[in-house]
Amino acid sequence: MDLNALADFALVATHGGLGKASRASGRSKATLSRRIADLEDQLGVRLIERHARGLRLTEAGELLMARTEGPMHDVAEAMTAVREGVSAPRGRLRVAAPVLFSQLAMGRICADFCAAYPDVTIDVVSEDRLVDLVEEQFDVAIRPNPRPDTGLVGRCFAKDRLVVVAAPSHAMPRARKPVTVPGVVTTSFRESRWTLDDGRLVLEPVPKLRLSSFLTVRDAAVAGAGVALLPQSIAWNELARGELVQWGAVSGGEVALWVLHTSRRLPAPKVRAFVEFMCRRYPDELLVLRG
């Protein structure tokens, strides 16, 4: 049996069509179609039915996919590991990261990683949407509080929390009942209460400013525009200098940052190196972003 034809069949089956498989692999649809036809001829059965909406696996195709998917992944990963070297990270590393983390941290992180691993080049895409690592060909993704995903594995490398801050000119309320305060909020803010430290203080922010990023919210709070809810990681410097005062942490506002990759048994050396690098970067899991 032609293993290349079997690999192309698995590629088309995984992506659900010739077009997507072609874009993912860089091979033409005609080549993929011919390989599958050759495989069908060798087996004497129809593996894929073509219809107006795309492709559908036949019963024989589903059986072949179920029996060969795991072994084919193992073979492909083993060959990739051999090509890239057993222990030497090399090649292009594609990283998806949130916008704020990218703006404040990824430049230094990437520079230091490339200095440590000169045979690796890095492409970072900064977006807040959830990318599909396989479909969009990313090696790793950095995500806050990721949902459980059986297709991804990774490690938590840092933790953050949401805190309420204000300039020293704003006196912190002492009443235990809900207190109305002038708020500096993001454009996604919806009417809500900020409950601090398990109910010690409950605030009802009335938006005075709506801004598009946490950085501009922070700067407006420093200028005295109102009370703000911010990740503690981006307010360290202002709190240390006394430009902001922390009123408390929001109950349930913990944020864990994870570096994730696909659940392969043999991750590429460049992926393993990046995951370890990120964890070493924040040895006590305390996230501090400077901007």
Side-chain angles (χ1 to χ4, degrees):
M1 180 178 294
D2 185 348
L3 288 180
N4 289 328
L6 185 59
D8 285 343
F9 162 74
L11 181 71
V12 172
T14 299
H15 287 85
L18 290 170
K20 289 183 178 180
S22 175
R23 288 191 291 274
S25 65
R27 294 195 291 278
S28 70
K29 292 192 291 184
T31 297
L32 294 173
S33 180
R34 186 178 66 254
R35 285 274 182 82
I36 292 172
D38 291 343
L39 183 60
E40 289 174 333
D41 289 341
Q42 291 177 43
L43 297 174
V45 293
R46 192 80 166 169
L47 299 174
I48 291 178
E49 294 288 356
R50 295 157 178 81
H51 57 89
R53 294 186 178 181
L55 302 178
R56 181 181 64 83
L57 293 182
T58 65
E59 183 178 358
E62 290 177 347
L63 177 61
L64 181 63
M65 188 66 179
R67 293 291 184 89
T68 61
E69 185 175 15
M72 288 299 295
H73 275 303
D74 289 346
V75 171
E77 289 163 0
M79 294 179 68
T80 298
V82 170
R83 282 197 301 267
E84 295 189 346
V86 174
S87 60
R90 68 182 74 249
R92 185 179 69 152
L93 183 75
R94 293 198 76 218
V95 181
V99 173
L100 181 62
F101 187 80
S102 294
Q103 291 173 336
L104 297 182
M106 284 304 292
R108 297 183 184 92
I109 287 172
C110 292
D112 292 345
F113 184 81
C114 287
Y117 301 99
D119 292 330
V120 176
T121 59
I122 300 182
D123 291 350
V124 176
V125 175
S126 303
E127 293 183 329
D128 289 329
R129 68 182 181 89
L130 294 182
V131 302
D132 185 316
L133 269 69
V134 175
E135 181 70 20
E136 300 179 58
Q137 300 182 24
F138 282 99
D139 296 296
V140 296
I142 294 172
R143 291 179 183 171
N145 292 344
R147 296 189 298 252
D149 187 332
T150 56
L152 298 177
V153 295
R155 293 171 62 182
C156 174
F157 66 87
K159 294 180 180 179
D160 201 356
R161 60 179 180 168
L162 296 175
V163 296
V164 171
V165 299
S169 57
H170 289 273
M172 183 171 67
R174 298 298 179 185
R176 297 185 65 86
K177 62 182 180 180
V179 179
T180 299
V181 294
V184 182
V185 299
T186 62
T187 51
S188 61
F189 174 82
R190 298 293 179 268
E191 184 175 346
S192 65
R193 289 179 174 179
W194 296 339
T195 302
L196 307 186
D197 301 325
D198 297 323
R200 177 182 61 83
L201 181 63
V202 179
L203 303 176
E204 294 183 341
V206 177
K208 299 298 182 182
L209 283 177
R210 292 180 182 269
L211 302 168
S212 61
S213 79
F214 278 128
L215 295 181
T216 50
V217 168
R218 180 195 64 190
D219 292 345
V222 169
V227 182
L229 180 65
L230 292 172
Q232 190 178 47
S233 59
I234 69 170
W236 282 108
N237 290 338
E238 290 72 19
L239 290 168
R241 292 194 296 261
E243 297 172 346
L244 290 174
V245 176
Q246 182 171 310
W247 287 10
V250 172
S251 300
E254 295 76 20
V255 180
L257 275 175
W258 285 65
V259 55
L260 302 169
H261 58 94
T262 53
S263 56
R264 293 179 253 177
R265 291 194 300 109
L266 296 172
K270 62 187 178 184
V271 172
R272 289 200 305 269
F274 188 78
V275 171
E276 294 296 332
F277 181 86
M278 292 300 294
C279 293
R280 291 196 304 271
R281 187 86 178 186
Y282 303 95
D284 55 0
E285 293 191 342
L286 184 63
L287 184 64
V288 178
L289 302 178
R290 306 186 186 282

